[in-house]
Amino acid sequence: MPPPPDNSSSDDCVFDVRDFGAAGDGYTDDTESFLLAWRAACAADSGVLLVPSDGVFMITSTIFSGPCQPGLLFQVDGVLMPPGGPACWPKKDSKRQWLVFYRIDGMTLAGDGTIEGNGEEWWNLPCKPHRGPNGSTMPGPCYSPALIRFFMSSNLSIRELSIQNSPQFHIKLDGCDGVLIQGLSINSPPLSPNTDGIHLEDTRYVGIYDTTISNGDDCISIGPGCADVDIQNVTCGPGHGISIGSLGNENSEACVSNITVRNSVIRNSDNGVRIKTWQGGSGSVSAIIFDSLFMDNVRNCIIVDQYYCLAKDCRNQTSAVHLTDLLYANIKGTYDVTAPAIHFACSDTVPCTNISMSEVELLPFRGDLVEDPFCWNAYGQMHTMTIPPMDCLQDGNPDTLHEGGGLHQCLM
């Protein structure tokens, strides 16, 4: 993991957006002032773009582009927010993203302030799940902006901010390399749709530490093309847990490796640690470690779902992402008995292999012990007995595991 950039600077390198004309009154469009301050800070060694603590600053969808001089700090001490919903969104602007950092190397996003997403009107669009008439979901494009996106950037630090109420993903890292995320507070309501806390895609060498996330979707979601991700001391929930996937949609290749989740808490969530793939994909998920986790009233504490589908008409397919070298160790706490605590639904044709289970002890949050862990085509080794008792994991390796079954190893 590269060290975070050194952002020590003199006052001569601090570029306060108010000095560039920003009103900070919560309703004036301050976009142009931010762009002017960005250009000045970007051109200075150890430049600081300052969002001061005494204002509420509204900007429209904006791309802050590099390259910049080393040591750039985007410091949010006040409130920074987008327009207040779809009706206020400029028609010329993208509805897929809001605050975008593009081709930046060695930047820090930090501060004592809040990035406020104003997401409520986006969540209530009739095309969102069950938000249409009589609880329906209306058809049609349903774009909502990711709040913060880093694209094709490297050596980043994101720390100490409060980020809340995003229309969609709170933070999206796409095509990035070398990212330290630490000390964030990410919050949106439990029923806010698609509001993943941190989403990674085609991104490597990431550390996520000492962060609290509660939202309406995955606390952390890891998409295709990700490797070398270390997650520690994260508190997750309410939400949908920590997920790898979904992967392999529309027969695509997905490669994910070297993901570690340790010393974290998941509470009041629909899932705990989850790997989800579509049928028909290819590639592999390998070298995954889930270690020293505490579950508090969680459905599906440990779940592998290789039949992930958002509709009722997904057909069976023979190819699949291969899941191998999955370690589950020292996972304890309580589960919601409406679903099995442990669920391994692996592909019919490409078995999950080398699953390792040790010191997994999960008790009912309420009600009687439900002794029904589920396994399908899952192979590995039980190093200790589990609670609930699990006898469905097949010992050793399958007799056949070959290219004809859809197996395709990744080169990362």
Side-chain angles (χ1 to χ4, degrees), residues 72-352:
L72 177 62
L73 170 61
F74 195 113
Q75 183 167 329
V76 180
D77 288 338
V79 176
L80 180 59
M81 66 183 191
C88 304
W89 207 261
K91 292 184 178 180
K92 63 179 178 58
D93 286 356
S94 169
K95 290 186 177 180
R96 294 178 179 265
Q97 56 191 20
W98 174 58
L99 191 64
V100 182
F101 298 96
Y102 174 59
R103 291 193 179 276
I104 308 295
D105 180 63
M107 174 188 146
T108 294
L109 173 64
D112 297 325
T114 298
I115 298 180
E116 166 61 54
N118 289 332
E120 184 173 2
E121 292 187 25
W122 296 95
W123 308 330
N124 291 327
L125 289 170
C127 55
K128 297 291 184 178
H130 314 298
R131 300 300 173 98
N134 301 315
S136 64
T137 302
M138 300 298 290
C142 202
Y143 303 131
S144 297
L147 196 61
I148 303 166
R149 183 188 183 201
F150 284 89
F151 181 44
M152 297 181 67
S153 296
S154 57
N155 303 316
L156 307 169
S157 178
I158 309 169
R159 51 184 172 82
E160 308 303 333
L161 282 165
S162 175
I163 304 169
Q164 62 190 34
N165 298 322
S166 177
Q168 200 218 37
F169 299 162
H170 287 77
I171 298 173
K172 182 177 182 180
L173 299 169
D174 188 357
C176 295
D177 194 304
V179 184
L180 173 63
I181 297 175
Q182 189 163 26
L184 298 185
S185 174
I186 299 175
N187 292 282
S188 62
L191 296 180
S192 55
N194 308 121
T195 52
D196 294 36
I198 300 168
H199 176 73
L200 313 178
E201 194 167 312
D202 294 317
T203 292
R204 301 175 61 119
Y205 304 112
V206 179
I208 303 173
Y209 307 123
D210 308 318
T211 288
T212 300
I213 304 171
S214 61
N215 60 346
D217 211 302
D218 296 331
C219 291
I220 299 170
S221 55
I222 299 170
C226 292
D228 304 302
V229 178
D230 186 39
I231 300 167
Q232 295 196 48
N233 298 318
V234 167
T235 300
C236 166
H240 293 183
I242 297 174
S243 291
I244 297 173
S246 60
L247 305 174
N249 190 20
E250 297 181 349
N251 304 104
S252 61
E253 180 185 63
C255 300
V256 175
S257 63
N258 298 322
I259 311 296
T260 299
V261 183
R262 278 197 173 100
N263 302 319
S264 295
V265 175
I266 302 174
R267 55 170 48 101
N268 301 320
S269 293
D270 284 355
N271 304 287
V273 287
R274 174 169 59 160
I275 302 174
K276 50 182 177 177
T277 73
W278 296 76
Q279 293 191 74
S282 63
S284 67
V285 174
S286 62
I288 310 300
I289 296 174
F290 298 115
D291 182 19
S292 299
L293 306 179
F294 181 76
M295 306 282 176
D296 180 13
N297 189 27
V298 174
R299 297 179 73 245
N300 303 308
C301 293
I302 296 171
I303 179 169
V304 167
D305 179 8
Q306 294 213 262
Y307 302 88
Y308 185 72
C309 178
L310 296 178
K312 295 181 180 180
D313 57 352
C314 294
R315 62 186 180 87
N316 289 332
Q317 299 188 52
T318 56
S319 63
V321 178
H322 179 211
L323 310 187
T324 188
D325 300 331
L326 313 179
L327 183 148
Y328 300 87
N330 194 29
I331 300 176
K332 300 181 180 182
T334 60
Y335 67 99
D336 181 335
V337 298
T338 59
I342 304 168
H343 185 100
F344 290 117
C346 300
S347 164
D348 288 339
T349 53
V350 185
C352 303

